[in-house]
Amino acid sequence: PPKAKEVRIKILATGICRTDDHVMKGTWGTKFPVIVGHEAVGVVESIGEGVTTVKPGDKVIPLFVSQCRECKPCRHPNGNLCIMSDIMGRGVLADGTTRFTCKGKTVYHFLNTSTFSEYTVLDEIAVAKIDDAAPPEKVCLFGCAFSTGYGAAVKTGKVTPGSTCAVFGLGGVGLSVIMGCKSAGASRIIGIDLNKDKFEKAMAVGATECISPKDFTKPISEVLSEMTGDTVDYSFEVIGNLETMIEALKSCHMNYGTCVLVGAPPLAKMLTYDPKLLFLGRTWKGCVFGGWKSRDDVPKLVTDFMA
């Protein structure tokens, strides 16, 4: 059961994000044994002492980026990575313990959420109450993939009307970046993926064209430069691959381009790149959960979707 300031949720629907797969492959640091999953919709089943923002029966989205509203990132207008978020893999709730056991032994939480379970317990600061009418099998993606990708474009990248964007990686998050670029008024959106089977869906959600690196002998940054006359304003790396991170940085305009890293990077790997890539004026930005303040913004995103 939930302790003080905690909420127990019955999970209705959960998405499967590649970050869950990173845990399975050992490229994301966490404690084992663990219940993964972090993209879901559920109903509040019970609440602990002192919980005031949700009640039993509320439809909610678990938040892998919490919002305590008191720490420095929460109070800063541009901050969203609450210090209570468990990005580093502690595997426990705010009080330092877990709510899962199996045969009397401790099982750890993943990203404060652990949604691959019939029931899960979260800190109140990691729960967002949403519209009761929202369809769980769709808005579960607002717990990570959609919000992260869409926010990478409209909130972190701040894509401008009439601009040209390049999106590396056309999975669920990459498609959401494309939706964000389109919503922000980008006039040209180039999708990039090795798998051409993804191109039809990318075009359907807003890409103006798609290319595969397999079709070229030169680096994709050079291909994009030729295609656009050297005017990719925004590039997004939505894979978490060291080589494509550098290619995405090279792809945006050397003086005023912005590159946003959206894909989760591999554990304990270091990047080497020419510092002139930044010295000439480019901006390189990281992006956690699309830059959204989770408890404030997720309910608004769901309301926008319902409208």
Side-chain angles (χ1 to χ4, degrees):
K3 294 184 181 180
K5 297 283 187 179
E6 294 175 357
V7 180
R8 185 160 59 183
I9 293 166
K10 180 179 182 179
I11 298 293
L12 299 177
T14 185
I16 302 175
C17 175
R18 195 176 178 203
T19 307
D20 300 308
D21 186 58
H22 289 331
V23 174
M24 314 299 284
K25 289 188 166 63
T27 57
W28 184 282
T30 191
K31 291 181 179 176
F32 291 92
V34 64
I35 296 172
V36 290
H38 62 285
E39 206 177 60
V41 168
V43 172
V44 175
E45 178 268 343
S46 57
I47 58 176
E49 184 184 350
V51 171
T52 59
T53 56
V54 293
K55 63 185 185 303
D58 284 348
K59 187 175 281 186
V60 294
I61 289 181
L63 304 168
F64 77 90
V65 172
S66 50
Q67 187 186 355
C68 72
R69 300 186 171 130
E70 295 170 3
C71 68
K72 275 190 175 178
C74 280
R75 292 201 315 269
H76 194 284
N78 297 327
N80 80 318
L81 185 56
C82 176
I83 62 168
M84 300 305 293
S85 303
D86 190 18
I87 301 295
M88 304 316 290
R90 295 188 307 271
V92 292
L93 295 181
D95 76 342
T97 62
T98 84
R99 299 295 160 268
F100 293 116
T101 55
C102 180
K103 297 176 182 175
K105 295 186 177 176
T106 295
V107 177
Y108 290 99
H109 298 247
F110 178 59
L111 291 174
N112 294 336
T113 51
S114 293
T115 64
F116 291 178
S117 171
E118 203 168 341
Y119 290 87
T120 189
V121 177
L122 300 95
D123 294 303
E124 181 183 14
I125 59 172
V127 177
K129 183 182 184 303
I130 61 166
D131 187 332
D132 276 341
E137 75 285 358
K138 288 189 166 61
V139 298
C140 63
L141 298 178
F142 286 59
C144 181
F146 175 73
S147 301
T148 297
Y150 186 74
V154 303
K155 195 161 179 71
T156 303
K158 294 181 170 59
V159 169
T160 52
S163 58
T164 295
C165 302
V167 181
F168 288 72
L170 302 177
V173 185
L175 294 175
S176 301
V177 173
I178 290 173
M179 292 180 209
C181 293
K182 182 181 179 182
S183 172
S187 58
R188 194 171 182 188
I189 304 168
I190 303 165
I192 304 151
D193 203 292
L194 294 169
N195 182 356
K196 293 183 180 180
D197 291 345
K198 298 182 179 183
F199 291 178
E200 183 181 355
K201 178 65 79 174
M203 299 288 284
V205 299
T208 55
E209 59 219 285
C210 292
I211 56 174
S212 168
K214 286 181 178 175
D215 292 339
F216 305 94
T217 54
K218 60 181 72 172
I220 208 72
S221 56
E222 292 179 24
V223 173
L224 288 167
S225 179
E226 291 171 7
M227 285 175 66
T228 63
D230 200 26
T231 53
V232 172
D233 302 291
Y234 302 92
S235 60
F236 299 87
E237 202 280 355
V238 204
I239 304 162
N241 177 287
L242 300 186
E243 288 179 26
T244 47
M245 287 177 189
I246 301 296
E247 280 301 297
L249 181 63
K250 288 179 178 177
S251 297
C252 69
H253 193 276
M254 66 178 184
N255 179 228
Y256 55 77
T258 296
C259 176
V260 183
L261 296 185
V262 192
L267 192 68
K269 290 286 198 307
M270 302 299 282
L271 269 178
T272 303
Y273 65 95
D274 183 346
K276 281 201 296 292
L277 290 172
L278 294 177
F279 174 72
L280 295 173
R282 287 179 178 90
T283 300
W284 210 2
K285 302 182 85 169
C287 174
V288 175
F289 195 54
W292 304 111
K293 289 186 181 288
S294 58
R295 283 205 287 168
D296 292 346
D297 291 329
V298 166
K300 296 175 190 172
L301 288 169
V302 172
T303 299
D304 285 349
F305 165 76
M306 294 299 286

